[in-house]
Amino acid sequence: MTDSFDPSQTDSHAFRDALGRFGTGVTVITCATPTGPLGITANSFSSVSLDPPLVLWSPAKSSSRYPFFMAAQRFAIHVMGAEQFDLCRGFARSGDAFSETDWRTSAQGVPLIDGCLALFECLQVAAHDAGDHSILVGQVERAAARDGAPLLFQGGRYGSFAAS
């Protein structure tokens, strides 16, 4: 183990680097806004409960997209496949990268990206303040999944899973 540190007393980059040691899947979260569909790439997705079916994600308060996701009654979480790196990069840069993919609108008006590994259509049931982020909890109303390799993120890099 390397040197330990108090993250509240140290440069935030050291804490971010330590968190980056944890590999995660990559998602694109979408919602409808008064001016059209909006998306954002996020790796802060997690399951919460099977009964009822709950998931969460955590938008950064510093994001220009933050107020739209906080106001959205419904949102969709798309788990991205290894072949969807360019799409994830597009939504990391811009909330309107929908021209880079096939998508449709759900019966509830939420933009849904086609071809993802998994899709969770959610009703926002809770929002919690969490420092420089918020935690949004969604009750999953519909889900879909397909086989395929996931897109992963670790240490500031995208990659895919290699079986041992």
Side-chain angles (χ1 to χ4, degrees), residues 33-149:
T33 74
T35 58
L38 185 68
I40 192 168
T41 298
N43 67 343
S44 61
F45 164 72
S46 183
S47 63
V48 175
S49 170
L50 295 176
D51 186 19
L54 301 174
V55 296
L56 68 77
W57 78 287
S58 302
K61 292 177 181 176
S62 62
S63 171
S64 61
R65 295 173 247 182
Y66 175 83
F68 298 101
F69 283 104
M70 292 303 293
Q73 188 177 30
R74 286 188 156 76
F75 57 88
I77 299 174
H78 306 80
V79 177
M80 307 308 279
E83 73 283 359
Q84 294 177 304
F85 166 74
D86 289 334
L87 183 59
C88 289
R89 189 173 53 190
F91 278 108
R93 290 187 197 141
S94 171
D96 65 356
F98 289 91
S99 63
E100 298 176 28
T101 191
D102 293 328
W103 66 281
R104 58 195 160 81
T105 303
S106 74
Q108 291 74 30
V110 178
L112 304 177
I113 298 170
D114 293 333
C116 298
L117 280 187
L119 169 64
F120 304 95
E121 295 179 51
C122 302
L123 172 67
Q124 187 183 134
V125 294
H128 304 283
D129 185 61
D132 60 3
H133 284 65
S134 288
I135 299 169
L136 295 181
V137 179
Q139 182 163 343
V140 179
E141 297 179 314
R142 294 193 58 76
R146 70 166 174 87
D147 289 335

